[in-house]
Amino acid sequence: MSANPTNPQDDADRIRLKRLAKLQGAVSSSPSPTPQLAGPSSPGPSFVPTPVRTPTPAKAAAAPSPKRQVETPVTPSPVPAKKKSPATPALLDIASWEDEVIGQIFNVTLNKDAAEKSGWEIVWLKHLAEELQSEVSDGPIPLSADIADRLLISRLELDPQTMTDDLDYLPVLASLPPSQTVFEYLVGCWRRLNNVKSSLTRKGYPPVQTQQAVAKLERVKDLIISYAGLSLQEPDMFPQPLGKPIGPIELVTPLLSLSSLSTPLLSGPTDSLLSPTEVEPFLQDLARRFEPDNEIDDVLGPVVHDLCFHPSLFRPEGLAGGDSSWRGVISGLEVLVGVKPIACMITRLPQWNPPLAKAHSFEFTSLFGPLLRLGVFSREWPSITHTYFSNPTDRRPGELESAIASLRGTLKSLQSSLFQIFNTLVRASAQSREAVLQYFARVISLNERRAGMQVDHTTVASDTFVVNLQAILFRFCEPFMDANYTKIDRIDKDYFAQSDRISLKDETRVNATAKEAEEWRQQQRSGEPKLQNFISDIFYLSLTLSHYGYLKAISSYEELQKEYGEMTRHAEMLEGDGSWRGSPLQARVESALNAVKVEQEKVRAMQLAYQTQLADPELVFRSINFTNFVSTWIIRFVDPKHKHPNPLVELPLPQEVPLEFRVQPEFMLEDVIDYHEFIMREAPQSLELSGKTEILIWVLTFLTSTWYIKNPFLKNKMIDVLSWGVVSYDGRRSILNTLVNTHPLALKHLVSALVHFYIEVEQTGAHSQFYDKFNARRSISYVFRAIWRNPDHRDALKRQARDNIEKFVRFVNLMINDVTYLMDESLSDMAKIHEIQTEMANAQEFARRPPQERREREGTLRGLERQAGIYVQLGNSTVALLKEFTAEIKEPFMVPEIVDRLAAMLDYNLDALVGPRCQDLKVQNPEKYKFNPRGLLSDLLEIFLNLSDQGEFARAVAADGRSYRKELFERAAAIARRRSLKSDDEIEKLRLFVVKVEETKATLEAEEDVGEIPDEYLDPLMYTLMRDPVTLPSSHAVLDRSTIKSHLLSDTTDPFNRVPLKLEDVIPNLELKARIDAFLAERRNKNTAYDTPAENIVNMDTDAD
């Protein structure tokens, strides 16, 4: 507001002292023709009347347009001439034209009559006219570029809200636009100047005159732009209308209105508002004027800040809002970064990468944070989840699919625009590119805690923020992830040693200690960090952010799945046997069940929100491409030739693991495995076009060379990935089944890798190794079943048994151990389930028990059901594997340390299935536990039949005094015949085998009737007579050779003191053996008679109950 409304000149002097010197310097620095009116020695602009013409007041008031001013005189109709003369170009009277257009641009005049004639639409600058008139002797004062600054200041100082006693000047103030801001006025000046310039260039004036005129217009434009920038920076410098937003918001508004999909903030364009086509030229002019000395930071920095932190980005509805106002922010940013100086300026602003921001606040305080946090995840955007996915079980599938498709389309638009913005910033300058890389690295360094097992989500960045950032990085990676891997070698393998951009201080290494990793880093570095190429930076930033961000978002989704499963089990517990219905507890139980169902609906809605973004086909496609590229790069890393995949790596890898690989962060491998497992479970169809081969080669590489990876859980996950790929479930076709049966590497190495890992997983070193091994071996059994029909794979197994018999015998021994344990546990659990179900079947008796006791029994039943289901499935898969192996290979099963244990295990389980206790295995809904006693009996009988031609096996079955009875086989055969489990030929073959067993048993009983055996002759572990006693070197314990050999197949330590032990280290105890042999020679009974005909030894015609 002016201090003295009746004397604006005082304000002009004050303002001029403050700003004019700076602005005048900027204007004078632009090229211009020699002024016509200003004297060269004048300290300020002084004017003399033009001698060319003296405009009359009428002419000044009329403000003739440039068109009439420079119009070429009309030539009379020519008389037909013999030769047409070329047209003479129109000449431009620079002084007259300048006087006219300056008034037109600023909409001002120094002539009262001209203003009055226009109805005071043209503003009369009375005080400036008097000031200028006092500086010249006589005559009117023409308007020119040399006094443009004085004209503009005088106009800007006018305040329509100011009252004056000057009656002549009152109409001027009254006619000023009451709500027009300084910036709006300057935009109007800028627009009118551009129109004048456009008209000028179309007139066809001589080039020299046109150039002179354009130069004058450029000087005026610089002045207008200077004051426009000043009004954005200090909007209160000149009088402004009350109650109207001024300052940066005046440029933010047209930026927001650029998007055709967002609701404009104004009802329509105005004369003073920048139109969509004018925004970019205006920004170009601002950038050109204020770029030197980074003045642009103060002018447009607040505009960028207000745009990026626009309130619409913080609305609860987020990107799902009906007005799509976030699109206006995106469109505005796209135009801003399209001007290179502004793009460079954005990355210099303090808010670009706020130094004091914490992990959880970074997305709220950094410039692009509010945009990057837009998404659909329920934790950040519960309103979207509620709007689109509430009560999902009550909605039609088509409705949910439509909601998901709509949100995915919006996310795709957001992420594509954000990538274009970041990409433009990267390409703007080397400094802005470095700032973008630092931005990515800062997000990673702030969010290292996201990789933890238990994370407080209020202390780290949101899942939405990191997933959007990951999508951007994936797009940056695409140019160097070509199909032929032509740029893969540009990735620096020593990046973590040579660059400080990413810290691995607390990260576990692939196969090295922290000390080894630090020593390697110091060896690789010499002085300052090496400048990395952009490909290496983006690759490692994407890799690390995936670990801290994207894959942890996937973990959040998986946690929701677990939570939903727990709620389902809780509901089943509440439901119980339904005995609460009709009792006083009914209302209470129903209320609890309803509460659980409500929570289930919420969790299911949250799952759908996560699926919307994480399972988006485009994101999944890019994720698969990146993951496969990483896996190929890692294999190329360890390939001795460093040529993979052209040609493929040779397996197995060398025994010596390169140090530069051992010191790499473990998450490089872990993330590849975790994502493969996620995609195999959630979206296997995404691998149909690409990715299957890379997954198979990845798994084969490290399962055939397990010594490259220290962490046993990573290797377990690899076999899980393979099993997910070969198993069909939920109506889905298996993804890897065909590939594992046709790919050359699989045909050559898969069987040996499975056998090797089956053995290795026995001892992982983890506290949970006993249970971990069963999960891994279940996956192995699934893979074996998928490849077993392939003769090439069966031949590979035979080669394993032939060429490495010792290793294969150990493999068989572990299988027998597993079957023994799993069958025992599963059948025992079935018996307990049968017991509780029998109790509960008597509803009246069970209802009379105390409520606490009933709940305990119901809880016990649920626990047994969960446990039994796991053990039954594991046992079924291992028995099936044993059945297949014994059909193809028999020799490894006949070695002394195997055959007796195999026979005892088979006899024991046959007794459980058909013996007196078999009735205890009858449970309700056995399919719920995958328990199929008939199928299990068929598999056991098949194993007996597979080995029935082996004399050692018959001897071992006969020697099993604990479980073997011929009556068991008789009953089993009867069940098999009645249930059509076996053919008549197979049953006859089984009968002949039992006859052989009975005959062998009779002989063994006669031979072994030696009476009481001295303790010193008994094996201390098996309590059987030792045939070949040996002494252990460290504990000096004496065992039978077969006993210690069997033990070492499972555990390579001395059973008495856990000292490492090999079979070749044991010491034969020849003296004890001689005494045992003498003892047997004295006591042995040689009477071996076969008094019973073979056909009467076994009766296979017994009826089964």
Side-chain angles (χ1 to χ4, degrees), residues 35-55:
Q36 296 183 17
L37 300 179
S41 61
S42 301
S46 60
F47 302 89
V48 294
T50 173
V52 179
R53 66 180 180 89
T54 304

Side-chain angles (χ1 to χ4, degrees), residues 85 95 138 145 219 254 297 307 312 324 371 402 439 458 554 558 565 578 629 662 670 692 716 775 781 807 842 894 1080:
S85 302
D138 57 0
R219 290 178 59 196
D297 296 25
L307 180 67
S312 63
S324 297
L371 280 169
S402 176
Y439 183 90
T458 62
I554 291 175
E558 292 173 339
F629 182 85
R662 293 196 293 112
E670 181 182 11
K692 296 183 291 186
N716 287 1
N775 290 327
S781 69
K807 183 176 184 178
N842 189 343
M894 296 301 106
L1080 290 175

Side-chain angles (χ1 to χ4, degrees), residues 612-628:
T612 298
Q613 191 157 354
L614 295 180
D616 172 48
E618 189 164 325
L619 178 61
V620 168
F621 176 76
R622 288 192 168 93
S623 303
I624 290 173
N625 284 346
F626 179 75
T627 304
N628 290 336

Side-chain angles (χ1 to χ4, degrees), residues 17-230:
L17 289 174
K18 182 177 181 183
R19 294 289 180 183
L20 185 57
K22 179 179 179 181
L23 297 173
Q24 182 64 34
V27 173
S28 62
S29 64
S30 60
S32 61
T34 304
Q36 296 183 17
L37 300 179
S41 61
S42 301
S46 60
F47 302 89
V48 294
T50 173
V52 179
R53 66 180 180 89
T54 304
T56 63
K59 289 183 180 180
S65 65
K67 182 175 179 180
R68 294 199 307 272
Q69 181 70 23
V70 298
E71 184 177 9
T72 305
V74 179
T75 305
S77 301
V79 177
K82 296 181 181 179
K83 192 173 184 180
K84 186 176 181 179
S85 302
T88 303
L91 298 178
L92 176 65
D93 185 342
I94 295 292
S96 299
W97 170 84
E98 186 176 10
D99 176 59
E100 182 179 351
V101 300
I102 293 296
Q104 180 182 344
I105 291 170
F106 291 136
N107 192 36
V108 298
T109 183
L110 299 177
N111 189 297
K112 177 181 178 182
D113 293 339
E116 187 174 8
K117 187 174 182 179
S118 69
W120 302 104
E121 290 185 5
I122 299 176
V123 178
W124 174 39
L125 302 179
K126 175 184 178 181
H127 301 293
L128 178 61
E130 294 172 350
E131 178 185 341
L132 292 173
Q133 195 65 54
S134 67
E135 296 175 3
V136 298
S137 57
D138 57 0
I141 308 299
L143 304 183
S144 69
D146 295 311
I147 62 170
D149 58 332
R150 301 175 71 178
L151 292 169
L152 189 56
I153 289 176
S154 181
R155 169 62 184 85
L156 294 178
E157 289 174 338
L158 297 180
D159 186 354
Q161 302 176 52
T162 301
M163 300 304 296
T164 178
D165 296 333
D166 188 345
L167 297 180
D168 288 340
Y169 207 52
L170 188 61
V172 174
L173 296 178
S175 299
L176 292 175
S179 61
Q180 186 182 59
T181 66
V182 171
F183 182 77
E184 289 174 341
Y185 168 74
L186 292 170
V187 167
C189 294
W190 176 84
R191 180 184 293 112
R192 291 188 291 272
L193 185 147
N194 287 335
N195 291 336
V196 168
K197 183 178 179 180
S198 176
S199 175
L200 174 69
T201 56
R202 292 196 303 266
K203 290 297 184 180
Y205 294 125
V208 174
Q209 289 187 325
T210 300
Q211 184 178 1
Q212 291 176 348
V214 168
K216 291 179 179 294
L217 290 177
E218 290 299 323
R219 290 178 59 196
V220 175
K221 179 190 285 188
D222 284 348
L223 184 68
I224 293 171
I225 291 297
S226 295
Y227 275 93
L230 186 63

